[in-house]
Amino acid sequence: MSTGTAITTRLAAALLAAAVLGGCASGKKAPDWAINEQGAAERATDAYLSGNSRVADAEWRRARDEVSRTARPDLLARLELARCAAQVAALDAAPCTGFEAVAQDAADAEQAYARYLQGQLAEGDVALLPKAQQAVAPLAPEQAAAALAAIEDPLSRLVAAGVLAVRGPVPMAVVTQAVDTASAQGWRRAVMAWLINQQRLARELGDTALADQVQRRLDLLQATQK
C-alpha cells in the first residue's frame, strides 16, 4: 500500500493496486492475476457489507487464490487487511485471522494499518496510513466528526468511523455519519450494525424520538430480509 495513495471507491482495490498495479501508469498492462484479484476483492467487500456472506466468502477465496499465484505473502497480507477493514466498517469484532497468519511478512505500511484497525496506533504510524485515514487517525472521537465528513470515499469514511468505535465510545455525530454513509450505499449489514449503535446511544441520551425512528428503520431492514 503506497503511503501516498488514498483508499479509492473500494478499499480492497487500493490496498493492492497501489503497489501491484502502479506500473500501469507507465503503459504496462496489469497482470491477469492482479485484475482478477481486484475484481474479486471489490465484489467480496460489497457483498460482505451488504450482508451476503455466501457470496463474500466465495469472492474472498477467489481473490486469495489469485494472489497466491504470486507466492508473495506480503501481497496476501494487503488483501487480508482489506477484509479486516470491511469488518471494522461493519462493527464486526471478529479477529482478523487471515492477516495474522501472514503478518510476519507484511510491510511496514501494512503493519501500521493493522494496528490502526485495532485502535492501537504506534508512534510514526499515521504517516504510513492511507491518506483518507491520516486526518482522522490522531483525533479523539469527539473531535473527529468534521474530519470524517471530509473523507469523500464512502468505504474509507465508514472504516474511519469503525476505527473510532474500536477505540471507544463515539459521539452521535460520528454514528449518524456512519449510518448515513452505509445507508446511501445500501450496505445492509453495516446499516444494521450502525443503527443498533445509534439506537443504543439515543436511549442513553434520553432521545426516545430518535430511538423510535431507528427502530422503524431496523424493522424495515428486517422485513426486507425475509
Side-chain angles (χ1 to χ4, degrees), residues 58-119:
E59 293 293 349
W60 283 125
R61 285 194 299 271
R62 185 171 292 110
R64 282 182 59 93
D65 287 346
E66 293 293 338
V67 176
S68 296
R69 292 167 56 185
T70 69
R72 287 185 57 182
D74 60 319
L75 296 185
L76 185 57
R78 287 189 179 127
L79 175 64
E80 291 296 345
L81 276 178
R83 191 170 190 171
C84 296
Q87 290 179 196
V88 170
L91 299 179
D92 183 347
C96 294
T97 54
F99 174 76
E100 292 168 1
V102 291
Q104 62 182 353
D105 293 303
D108 290 346
E110 281 67 54
Q111 297 281 4
Y113 194 67
R115 288 190 290 270
Y116 171 66
L117 293 176
Q118 296 167 355

